[in-house]
């Protein structure tokens, strides 16, 4: 019997997850039932042929076994995931078949792993983590809950990335570095020094531009 999955969020990340799950059907017995999104103008539209069935609140009316919370904003993804978990909803890991995970990699519920992602031995991914296209996480690194490693980003060995942190497109984090929670590493940056919680850092080597939430 196949696992019936509902995708929560029909924006860009919802499209990415729909694509991942369609590809994953070659390895896993899954059925993508539909997407739910709180933008009422999206109801009735389709994403890669999969229908948008209504708002998130209509989940109890949609027969399903598990969901993937496909919302790009890290804090919002966490909030919606926690709320659904509280209501007993099961989270599915959306993993594209063209990825490489060492046999001992631990990935939390609700992770989304795009094509080309590589995760080497001893690495750990918290719940709701996004590893985008061609992102790599080297051995013994920890990517905490609801963090996002963007397309083409490279995370060295024994790195720690805090909760809800975004590693931007093509950025690199050198081995052994610690990055706090709610931090943004800009596209193309190279993280050479540890970074604290809640900062925006850019450049090579990455330097703190401002605190998150402060005007640029
Ligand atoms: C770092 C970032 C968050 C800054 O955004 P912002 O606060 O809106 O910053 P601004 O665009 O106002 O730029 C502020 C300054 O930083 C510079 N800057 C912005 N992003 C930069 C980057 N990635 N690398 C180097 N410099 C950067 C700008 O050129 C500007 O410099 P200036 O004042 O000398 O002109 C954003 O540019 C970024 O890289 N985000 C990551 C996006 C990403 O990879 N998303 C992945 C999911 S698709």
């Amino acid at each position: 019997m196949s696992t019936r999955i509902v995708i929560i969020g029909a924006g860009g990340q919802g499209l990415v997850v729909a694509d991942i799950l369609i590809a994953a059907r070659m390895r896993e017995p899954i059925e993508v039932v539909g997407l739910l999104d709180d933008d009422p103008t999206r109801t009735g539209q389709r994403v890669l042929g999969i229908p948008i069935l209504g708002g998130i609140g209509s989940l109890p009316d949609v027969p399903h076994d598990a969901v993937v919370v496909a919302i790009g904003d890290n804090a919002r993804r966490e909030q919606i995931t926690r709320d659904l978990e509280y209501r007993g909803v099961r989270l599915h890991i959306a993993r594209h078949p063209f990825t490489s995970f060492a046999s001992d990699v631990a990935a939390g519920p609700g992770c989304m792993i795009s094509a080309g992602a590589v995760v080497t031995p001893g690495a750990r991914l918290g719940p709701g983590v996004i590893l985008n296209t061609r992102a790599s996480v080297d051995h013994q690194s920890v990517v905490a809950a609801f963090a996002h490693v963007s397309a083409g980003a490279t995370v060295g060995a024994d790195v720690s990335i805090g909760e809800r942190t975004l590693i931007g497109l093509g950025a690199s984090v050198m081995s052994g570095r610690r990055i706090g929670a709610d931090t943004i590493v800009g596209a193309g940056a190279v993280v050479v020094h540890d970074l604290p919680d809640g900062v925006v850092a850019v450049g090579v080597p990455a330097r703190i531009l401002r605190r998150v939430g402060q005007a640029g």
Side-chain angles (χ1 to χ4, degrees), residues 150 168-169 184 186-187 200 202 209-210:
S150 300
L169 292 164
I184 297 172
V200 179
V202 297
L209 185 64
R210 59 179 169 81

Side-chain angles (χ1 to χ4, degrees), residues 24-114:
R25 289 187 306 201
M26 71 169 72
R27 288 206 188 147
E28 299 172 61
I30 54 179
E31 177 197 347
V32 189
V33 178
L35 299 95
L36 299 179
D37 193 290
D38 280 344
D39 177 353
T41 65
R42 289 179 167 158
T43 299
Q45 295 178 7
R46 284 180 177 266
V47 174
L48 301 182
I50 304 163
I52 302 174
L53 301 168
I56 299 173
S58 57
L59 182 63
D61 303 325
V62 180
H64 67 280
D65 301 304
V67 306
V68 181
V69 182
I71 291 172
D73 181 275
N74 294 342
R76 179 122 179 86
R77 183 168 69 261
E78 174 172 25
Q79 182 197 10
I80 290 175
T81 303
R82 302 273 187 224
D83 185 49
L84 292 171
E85 277 184 313
Y86 179 74
R87 291 193 264 142
V89 174
R90 210 181 114 216
L91 297 167
H92 182 78
I93 297 175
R95 180 179 159 197
H96 196 285
F98 302 146
T99 55
S100 174
F101 270 35
S103 58
D104 67 344
V105 167
C111 282
M112 289 156 271
I113 319 293
S114 288

